[in-house]
Amino acid sequence: MTLEVTEQKIWVTLSGLPLRFRLEWPFHASTSGADFWVLHGDIALVGSEGLHAPVAVNLSQTVREILPSIEPKDVEAPVINALRKEVDRRQIEFLKSGKLLPVPFSSRHYDFKRGQWVFGKATDEAIAVFLERKVYWQTKVGGSKSPLSREEREKDGAPALEGARVWIGDPAEAQYLQTTPAHVMALAERLVAGQGLLRIDGEWAEATPALMGQAERFENARRAAVEELEKKHAYERG
């Protein structure tokens, strides 16, 4: 089973790469006899000409024991964040046709003392840039428009923003940045909206023309991150 919402959503990395994930649920026991579970998926690099990375997420027994279940509701966010972190570390290569890459989903992403996932704590400045990129790419590519009219949204108590709306209070994003949704939203108000780049309503944001007018900056960041990935993997191939 593939979750449609995951395929539609744009997941941005701290290095500036916009990604789409297709995960083929559920996890299944390894057929090699090893003591782990496997989830196949594919990571598409948004804005490229068909570059993607097929992956096999290998869930270790140690991590399986601390999970409530291996259903999407309990494990989708840390799986996506583990994959994003591997992209940040330049361990995943994007090609037009690539081999299936095994990716460990292991205890290195989990702090047993504090009982929480750890993917590396981002600074406030990095989070602010991340939010700009997230809203830009989701607005440009994701097309996340509210299905309700302005009047219907106001009547139901939903955000009164018009047009494309981006959820900045997403706990999965806060987990990736190793902070809280409340802190992310506070930074959105203080560091991004204060510059006139976003309009904020609760946990939701809307890009302003000022943000969308900075397309070259976001495209350049994506190109630079892709070039760094390509240089690293070209060096490894010799």
Side-chain angles (χ1 to χ4, degrees):
M1 168 181 144
T2 302
L3 297 185
E4 183 181 354
V5 66
T6 302
E7 289 190 22
Q8 293 176 343
K9 185 172 180 178
I10 306 299
W11 301 86
V12 177
T13 69
L14 283 167
S15 58
L17 292 176
L19 308 173
R20 271 198 170 114
F21 290 86
R22 178 174 56 80
L23 300 175
E24 299 173 3
W25 300 97
F27 270 98
H28 58 271
S30 170
T31 56
S32 67
D35 192 15
F36 60 84
W37 286 261
V38 180
L39 177 69
H40 288 166
D42 194 89
I43 310 171
L45 179 56
V46 173
S48 68
E49 295 182 357
L51 297 181
H52 69 114
V55 294
V57 180
N58 295 334
L59 171 64
S60 69
Q61 175 64 26
T62 305
V63 171
R64 172 67 185 90
E65 289 173 355
I66 58 97
L67 291 169
S69 78
I70 52 176
E71 296 300 314
K73 64 182 179 65
D74 292 316
V75 77
E76 180 185 61
V79 163
I80 286 175
N81 288 335
L83 290 170
R84 276 198 286 187
K85 188 53 60 178
E86 291 301 298
V87 174
D88 284 333
R89 294 175 62 239
R90 291 179 284 178
Q91 297 301 304
I92 292 178
E93 184 176 14
F94 294 93
L95 301 168
K96 289 195 174 179
S97 60
K99 293 182 179 179
L100 190 68
L101 176 68
V103 178
F105 183 39
S106 62
S107 54
R108 71 177 174 177
H109 296 303
Y110 196 79
D111 184 332
F112 287 89
K113 279 190 176 180
R114 290 183 289 170
Q116 65 183 44
W117 297 100
V118 289
F119 297 101
K121 189 167 181 62
T123 65
D124 286 358
E125 291 75 15
I127 294 173
V129 174
F130 172 87
L131 286 169
E132 293 171 9
R133 292 169 173 171
K134 172 184 172 69
V135 175
Y136 169 81
W137 284 108
Q138 188 68 53
T139 302
K140 178 184 176 180
V141 181
S144 57
K145 291 184 178 296
S146 168
L148 303 177
S149 69
R150 181 183 179 90
E151 292 74 19
E152 288 172 321
R153 294 200 301 275
E154 289 176 342
K155 181 179 68 176
D156 293 342
L161 299 177
E162 297 180 4
R165 303 185 306 138
V166 181
W167 187 24
I168 57 171
D170 187 346
E173 302 287 37
Q175 182 187 83
Y176 171 60
L177 301 166
Q178 207 168 319
T179 186
T180 64
H183 186 61
V184 172
M185 289 184 287
L187 289 174
E189 289 274 11
R190 181 161 56 90
L191 297 181
V192 184
Q195 301 174 42
L197 300 177
L198 301 179
R199 286 188 285 271
I200 308 291
D201 193 336
E203 296 187 355
W204 297 84
E206 180 185 41
T208 65
L211 181 74
M212 299 309 293
Q214 297 186 28
E216 185 176 359
R217 177 162 69 95
F218 301 116
E219 296 284 356
N220 286 343
R222 184 187 67 82
R223 280 193 291 270
V226 171
E227 286 172 7
E228 287 299 314
L229 271 174
E230 290 175 344
K231 280 195 294 186
K232 190 255 189 186
H233 290 287
Y235 174 79
E236 290 177 343
R237 286 193 296 269

